[in-house]
Amino acid sequence: MKNLKVGIIGFGTVGTGVYKVLQNFNNIEIVKIAVKNINKKRDIENFNYNLLTDNAEEIVNNPNIDVVIEVAGGVNPALDLLKIAIKNKKHIVTANKELLAKHGSELFSLAKENKILILYEAAVAGGIPIIMPIKTILCANKITKIAAILNGTTNYILTKMGEKDLSYDVALKQAQELGYAETDPTGDVEGFDAAYKIAILATISFNKKVDINKIYREGITKITAQDIKSAKELGYRIKLIAMGQVLSDGKIDVRVHPMLVAKKHLLAKINNATNSIMLSGYPVGDLVLTGAGAGAEPTASSVVGDLLVIASELESSNNPLPQAICNHSQIANQINIGDTFNEYYIAINASNNPGVIGVIGTICGKNNINISTIMQKGINEDNTAEIVVITEVSKESDIQNALKEMLHSDCIKKIDNLLRVMN
Ligand code: HSE
């Protein structure tokens, strides 16, 4: 295999994992590592501190470097650095989902112009091989559906809420103490991280550029212990699901939100920080890939895998791996959440009066919503009742209209939650 000289930008958990795994490959030489703080002590035996620089331009402009590994994350300064690296004809391996989701088109066009590769297996679901399989061995398929758990932090929090009847705040605090959730957890708990990943996955699966700004996104911060309990009683688990589907008219439905997932469903059984991706395509049928979506070693598996692919392809060809080149000329026609069809879970707080269930039924009926289950969960101290409704498949805009109407009725105090359901 060709000897490669690499520079690494970012030396946190993933960068350190990549460094350690690369010690097993004597055809790869690490020339430089760009870090924020060159004086920080690194937990690596016999580490050569001369490799470190706090100026990443020393990597992207270095004529001795063939491949830039970018594991720093975020858009700035990664975007500018990678543009320089590409213009300098360096191949790129990156784990940066935000950068690719927001600026993928620009980077991939530049890469095409400069005849270099950008590989990014680690950007989606850490250690699970999904990008390269879609772009190579699955390319005979028309993929029409993806449903996935792509964020380990939120899956960990939801799992603990379910196992120990914890509130969201307590489960988040525990996840932070154990290092699963960051001090500022927004990127994970508000669904941004999962949205970046499904934008990338849907783009390569459906062969159409998916716009991150048109992805409907809802996080897990409004899920209550009561929602988890009610879901369990009804035979469901609550999961943050990233999904994408091609509809019969060719339009694309891509979104991230929590869902009640029937407990017999494979995704309902994915617990703690594990990720899982279900794909449906023709002719392959249904596929499920499950594994670690984060962590130093699983992510390094994907980064180093990409690097070794580049090393072996460069040895055999000047025009390597055509399938790995991302070139989506068609733009996805993405639908709005209001036009989607789902089954729904509605948690309603109503006054404890005769006829309340009738009011809910009438409003649902008027808005074309067929109720499949309705459950009253006792009476609260303030003489209000908790009522949970599960609907048959309904249009989101009808549901939203019905909720507005419910809030105008005297007996309905509050809509505690609205979640979509997957059976
Ligand atoms: N923070 C992510 C997660 C991993 O919790 O899955 C990196 O994308």
Side-chain angles (χ1 to χ4, degrees):
M1 214 181 274
K2 188 174 160 65
N3 284 331
L4 276 193
K5 291 187 164 45
V6 305
I8 304 177
I9 301 177
F11 208 38
T13 307
V14 177
T16 308
V18 169
Y19 174 92
K20 288 182 181 168
V21 173
L22 282 180
Q23 303 313 302
N24 303 325
F25 295 91
N26 49 22
N27 61 320
I28 312 276
E29 184 193 339
I30 300 172
V31 175
K32 273 272 164 239
I33 303 170
V35 292
K36 279 201 197 109
N37 179 0
I38 46 173
N39 297 317
K40 187 172 150 186
K41 175 98 188 65
R42 308 281 158 179
D43 182 23
I44 302 171
E45 231 175 276
N46 300 325
F47 183 65
N48 174 7
Y49 283 82
N50 291 328
L51 287 175
L52 298 183
T53 172
D54 54 10
N55 179 6
E57 299 215 5
E58 281 182 26
I59 290 179
V60 295
N61 285 317
N62 189 325
N64 287 324
I65 287 177
D66 306 305
V67 183
V68 172
I69 299 175
E70 188 269 313
V71 284
V75 169
N76 293 310
L79 177 62
D80 289 339
L81 289 169
L82 292 196
K83 286 203 293 200
I84 299 172
I86 296 168
K87 287 180 190 155
N88 286 332
K89 312 281 184 208
K90 299 182 194 318
H91 299 286
I92 308 290
V93 174
T94 179
N96 194 333
K97 60 229 78 174
E98 182 179 1
L99 180 68
L100 294 180
K102 292 181 177 168
H103 298 281
S105 295
E106 184 185 353
L107 288 170
F108 288 114
S109 304
L110 198 59
K112 196 175 170 206
E113 237 173 83
N114 286 278
K115 297 194 170 56
I116 65 99
L117 290 173
I118 302 176
L119 298 188
Y120 49 99
E121 190 60 67
V124 178
I128 302 178
I130 184 71
I131 303 294
M132 197 61 93
I134 290 174
K135 295 187 88 39
T136 57
I137 198 66
L138 289 171
C139 66
N141 283 270
K142 182 168 171 48
I143 298 172
T144 48
K145 196 166 176 198
I146 310 161
I149 293 173
L150 294 177
N151 184 269
T153 305
T154 45
N155 205 44
Y156 181 86
I157 293 171
L158 292 171
T159 303
K160 293 303 163 205
M161 285 176 75
E163 280 174 2
K164 299 185 181 159
D165 290 332
L166 302 180
S167 70
Y168 166 76
D169 290 328
V170 172
L172 168 64
K173 196 155 176 285
Q174 289 188 0
Q176 285 171 321
E177 280 161 8
L178 291 167
Y180 285 106
E182 293 182 33
T183 319
D184 175 1
T186 314
D188 292 316
V189 299
E190 295 293 1
F192 290 100
D193 176 78
Y196 300 144
K197 292 168 178 168
I198 194 71
I200 296 171
L201 214 46
T203 295
I204 61 164
S205 299
F206 307 147
N207 267 315
K208 288 182 176 157
K209 179 71 198 130
V210 168
D211 182 347
I212 181 72
N213 300 310
K214 292 187 183 153
I215 294 182
Y216 178 79
R217 175 189 51 77
E218 226 180 83
I220 64 161
T221 54
K222 295 195 190 86
I223 305 291
T224 63
Q226 186 57 53
D227 290 325
I228 304 249
K229 201 160 165 251
S230 301
K232 248 196 227 170
E233 284 168 22
L234 292 160
Y236 295 93
R237 303 285 177 264
I238 298 183
K239 299 284 176 191
L240 182 68
I241 300 294
M243 57 177 283
Q245 53 189 336
V246 182
L247 305 172
S248 53
D249 58 4
K251 290 185 180 155
I252 308 264
D253 173 14
V254 188
R255 40 193 158 115
V256 172
H257 49 54
M259 292 185 96
L260 269 72
V261 181
K263 70 173 189 233
K264 63 176 190 311
H265 195 288
L266 284 175
L267 292 181
K269 302 180 205 303
I270 306 299
N271 286 323
N272 298 312
T274 304
N275 283 196
S276 187
I277 301 160
M278 295 186 76
L279 271 189
S280 305
Y282 175 81
V284 74
D286 295 335
L287 286 179
V288 184
L289 291 100
T290 301
E297 289 174 357
T299 311
S301 160
S302 292
V303 170
V304 177
D306 276 346
L307 198 58
L308 296 176
V309 165
I310 292 177
S312 74
E313 291 293 319
L314 288 186
E315 186 166 81
S316 57
S317 157
N318 285 327
N319 185 18
L321 211 64
Q323 301 94 323
I325 292 168
C326 241
N327 185 22
H328 303 285
S329 48
Q330 270 185 299
I331 307 285
N333 184 354
Q334 288 166 251
I335 62 166
N336 293 323
I337 189 72
D339 292 327
T340 64
F341 284 82
N342 307 276
E343 292 166 52
Y344 293 86
Y345 156 100
I346 313 170
I348 300 166
N349 179 255
S351 39
N352 176 28
N353 290 336
V356 170
I357 302 279
V359 170
I360 294 172
T362 305
I363 294 175
C364 284
K366 260 173 62 192
N367 286 284
N368 315 308
I369 298 160
N370 214 354
I371 292 175
S372 67
T373 305
I374 186 157
M375 174 169 86
Q376 180 169 336
K377 313 226 0 108
I379 312 294
N380 299 322
E381 276 172 12
D382 62 356
N383 204 31
T384 59
E386 300 299 329
I387 299 163
V388 169
V389 171
I390 303 277
T391 73
E392 291 190 3
V393 173
S394 315
K395 192 173 181 188
E396 174 98 12
S397 54
D398 287 338
I399 291 282
Q400 295 295 351
N401 288 338
L403 295 192
K404 271 188 217 141
E405 232 177 281
M406 284 184 200
L407 286 171
H408 280 124
S409 82
D410 290 339
C411 56
I412 293 171
K413 305 282 169 214
K414 206 167 141 235
I415 304 299
D416 284 323
N417 220 335
L418 171 75
L419 297 168
R420 297 154 195 93
V421 177
M422 184 159 72
N423 281 296

